[in-house]
Amino acid sequence: TENIKVVVALGTGADLAALALAAPAIQFVAVGQPNAVPGANLSVIGNPLVEEERQSFMGGYLAALVTSDYKVAGLIPSDIPLTAEAQNAYMIGARFYCGLCKSQYPPYNAYPPLETMPLNNDSNTIYNMAETLSNLGVEAVYVHGDLVTPDLLNALASYGIEVVGGASPDMPHNNWVGTVAIDPTPALAAIWGDVMAGIGGQQVPGAIVLLDLDAGLLSEGRLLMFDDMKMDLEENLVLPET
């Protein structure tokens, strides 16, 4: 209809590229469409590469931040398109906090170890991974969002390992530090003035947000440190890549 100025589409259900081409006077905004490409009247909220790197960086940073002796690890899927980028960003994030991550107390292992798993695993593989992390003396682990499953969370809980997740758990867990998630709202707010003025063609990554803090494992001081690092990261004062 003639009075519509902006259409915001959530998810992958609409072909916004075709709609934008057919209605050049309307500004379109795609949210949660990883394959969307900006155009003259099409803006995109989300950038899979940037969000993956920032999320894994902050996951590694937070997991290192909550340990008492730098005994931190990461668990990344081995079969996703951005496996290498997630691994690299996690490692940089953890080391950004703890440097060489030299423990003062045994066991003396090289921290932060990085483990990988395929997306689909049987129970034996899952519990063997939890046992491996326990044998390494890991206190906290960043679990990539694609690997957050009830079986894995139960296995890690059985060994007393705290978890920073890239996706929310199915239910509350006493060992759950928090969820490092992506929120599209700040990005949409940032470009809203331009979109309403008829200016399109932008692509803005979602913002990092920390959720699921109910277990109380993150102190107020450490939360402030997380927030400060998140701001530096999103303002490109810190880069999650080598």
Side-chain angles (χ1 to χ4, degrees):
T1 56
E2 295 180 0
N3 60 341
I4 292 180
K5 295 178 64 175
V6 178
V7 174
V8 179
L10 308 177
T12 58
D15 184 356
L16 282 200
L19 291 175
L21 189 63
I26 297 176
Q27 288 292 323
F28 293 85
V29 183
V31 181
Q33 298 192 16
N35 298 320
V37 178
N41 61 326
L42 174 57
S43 297
V44 178
I45 302 300
N47 184 315
L49 174 59
V50 172
E51 292 172 354
E52 180 66 76
E53 289 183 333
R54 290 181 177 179
Q55 195 174 12
S56 296
F57 177 97
M58 291 307 304
Y61 181 83
L62 179 58
L65 184 64
V66 298
T67 61
S68 60
D69 198 28
Y70 303 150
K71 291 181 169 60
V72 57
L75 190 53
I76 307 293
S78 58
D79 50 356
I80 60 173
L82 296 174
T83 289
E85 290 81 0
Q87 291 175 316
N88 188 51
Y90 149 76
M91 188 67 72
I92 295 172
R95 289 196 177 280
F96 206 97
Y97 175 74
C98 62
L100 296 177
C101 305
K102 293 287 188 181
S103 298
Q104 295 184 356
Y105 307 102
Y108 299 111
N109 294 303
Y111 299 103
L114 178 60
E115 303 290 341
T116 59
M117 293 176 65
L119 293 177
N120 297 309
N121 303 279
D122 58 31
S123 58
N124 287 335
T125 301
I126 289 172
Y127 276 90
N128 287 341
M129 177 58 70
E131 184 178 31
T132 296
L133 295 175
S134 177
N135 290 339
L136 288 171
V138 169
E139 298 175 357
V141 58
Y142 168 63
V143 179
H144 189 280
D146 290 334
L147 292 177
V148 174
T149 64
D151 286 347
L152 178 60
L153 298 186
N154 290 335
L156 293 171
S158 70
Y159 284 101
I161 299 173
E162 295 182 355
V163 177
V164 173
S168 294
D170 60 318
M171 58 181 293
H173 291 265
N174 292 333
N175 64 326
W176 191 264
V177 176
T179 305
V180 180
I182 299 294
D183 180 9
T185 310
L188 182 59
I191 70 168
W192 190 251
D194 287 343
V195 171
M196 290 296 291
I199 302 171
Q202 301 185 63
Q203 183 168 13
V204 185
I208 295 291
V209 61
L210 189 58
L211 308 172
D212 305 320
L213 303 177
D214 299 339
L217 298 177
L218 188 62
S219 68
E220 184 175 347
R222 286 181 168 127
L223 178 58
L224 289 173
M225 293 179 67
F226 178 92
D227 288 340
D228 287 345
M229 180 55 64
K230 180 189 75 167
M231 290 179 60
D232 286 348
L233 184 67
E234 293 180 342
E235 293 175 2
N236 294 319
L237 300 176
V238 173
L239 296 179
E241 57 190 23
T242 53

